[in-house]
Amino acid sequence: MLNILLSAATVLLAGTAWVGPAHSAELPKGAAAHNIVLVHGAFVDQTSWQPVADILSKKGYNVTLVENPLTSLAADVDATKQALAKQDGRTVLVGHSWGGVVITQAGNDPKVSALVYVSAFAPEVGQSLALLAKDGPQTEGVKAIHPDAKGNLYIDPKLFPSAVAADLPPEIAEHLANSQLPLSLAAFEAPVSIAAWRDKPTFYVITTKDKVIAPEVQKLFAARMKAQTTEVAGSHASLVVHAKEVAEVIEKAALAK
């Protein structure tokens, strides 16, 4: 579990699987979806979503953080579907980075009213993360991905801070680098068989200083999906540094009819 104490301009990431609505909060009038399910990316755990979850839960939304095992696409999709099964009514499904692949496959659930991609891969049917990484620009982050002794993938810890989290305090970026959760090669190579974004209202947060998924690639994903886009001047870790802006986009998706 990545428990990270961020000082002054940052926040506390506390690991939990569920963040309920604040008792005193009332949902914004007109909210079509009361539930939000957040799917994390590779190399980190669900606490990466905690700053966003805190903002949304204080507004009265029912927020669930999915704990991806990262052992296969099927396992992560199953974990997401289990979270969706527990929701009562319309739900916004959100994915960061690798989580975009997961929500593309899992997002056809009838409870899902909208999809939100945050610095995320958005494959078409038949595309895998491996294929997208191969065909896209070889960014600093992509070039830093290597297999460990067991064949699982991780980002070179020495390159992680600059490639993934350049706008986080160095000591926090280094902690993340040394606390990575590897992504299995099986997950990396698994193609999606569903593109849920074809049938759902879709939103995309483009991070313009991203060194993992090039901003121009994020724009291509968003254009292909006909997503409503919002640009944030941040790194691949913008869901932490720019949690307020990311939460605003998710709330916009929750208000979509």
Side-chain angles (χ1 to χ4, degrees), residues 3-24:
N3 292 312
I4 308 165
L5 182 61
L6 307 180
S7 62
T10 52
V11 293
L12 178 65
L13 305 185
T16 180
W18 179 81
V19 183
H23 293 297
S24 60

Side-chain angles (χ1 to χ4, degrees), residues 183-209:
L183 178 70
S184 75
L185 188 61
F188 187 67
E189 295 180 340
V192 299
S193 59
I194 297 168
W197 47 261
R198 288 192 169 277
D199 303 307
K200 307 280 184 176
T202 303
F203 299 76
Y204 199 110
V205 178
I206 296 166
T207 42
T208 61
K209 296 182 180 180

Side-chain angles (χ1 to χ4, degrees), residues 96-97 117-121 204-205 207 210 213 218 235-236 238:
H96 173 248
S97 195
Y117 292 76
V118 181
S119 315
F121 293 97
Y204 199 110
V205 178
T207 42
D210 202 311
I213 308 177
Q218 296 182 44
S235 72
H236 200 62
S238 285

Side-chain angles (χ1 to χ4, degrees):
M1 192 70 67
L2 306 179
N3 292 312
I4 308 165
L5 182 61
L6 307 180
S7 62
T10 52
V11 293
L12 178 65
L13 305 185
T16 180
W18 179 81
V19 183
H23 293 297
S24 60
E26 291 185 7
L27 282 169
K29 291 182 179 179
H34 296 178
N35 308 303
I36 296 166
V37 172
L38 304 172
V39 182
H40 67 83
F43 314 119
V44 296
D45 70 4
Q46 71 274 19
T47 61
S48 58
W49 275 117
Q50 196 67 48
V52 171
D54 287 344
I55 293 170
L56 293 168
S57 64
K58 287 176 182 177
K59 290 190 172 187
Y61 290 98
N62 175 51
V63 183
T64 301
L65 309 180
V66 177
E67 186 173 358
N68 295 331
L70 301 175
T71 52
S72 69
L73 174 59
D76 286 5
V77 168
D78 182 63
T80 301
K81 287 186 174 181
Q82 288 185 43
L84 289 171
K86 296 175 182 178
Q87 307 307 309
D88 180 16
R90 293 164 65 90
T91 302
V92 176
L93 183 59
V94 189
H96 173 248
S97 195
W98 156 255
V101 180
V102 179
I103 70 170
T104 296
Q105 182 75 24
N108 67 330
D109 188 286
K111 290 182 181 178
V112 176
S113 60
L115 298 167
V116 181
Y117 292 76
V118 181
S119 315
F121 293 97
E124 177 59 278
V125 171
Q127 291 184 324
S128 64
L129 180 55
L131 181 62
L132 293 175
K134 177 183 176 182
D135 290 346
Q138 294 302 293
T139 61
E140 181 181 340
V142 169
K143 289 189 288 187
I145 298 174
H146 303 291
D148 61 16
K150 297 180 180 179
N152 295 318
L153 302 176
Y154 71 100
I155 294 178
D156 185 334
K158 294 181 180 178
L159 300 176
F160 188 105
S162 63
V164 179
D167 43 10
L168 283 176
E171 64 274 16
I172 294 169
E174 290 171 8
H175 177 80
L176 286 170
N178 295 319
S179 306
Q180 292 181 65
L181 302 178
L183 178 70
S184 75
L185 188 61
F188 187 67
E189 295 180 340
V192 299
S193 59
I194 297 168
W197 47 261
R198 288 192 169 277
D199 303 307
K200 307 280 184 176
T202 303
F203 299 76
Y204 199 110
V205 178
I206 296 166
T207 42
T208 61
K209 296 182 180 180
D210 202 311
K211 295 181 181 179
V212 178
I213 308 177
E216 60 268 27
V217 172
Q218 296 182 44
K219 291 176 182 179
L220 288 174
F221 286 147
R224 178 166 70 178
M225 296 188 293
K226 297 181 173 58
Q228 293 188 41
T229 61
T230 299
E231 293 192 7
V232 173
S235 72
H236 200 62
S238 285
L239 73 171
V240 175
V241 182
H242 295 280
K244 180 176 180 292
E245 293 97 318
V246 172
E248 286 174 352
V249 174
I250 295 171
E251 185 165 20
K252 187 185 298 184
L255 294 168
K257 301 296 184 179

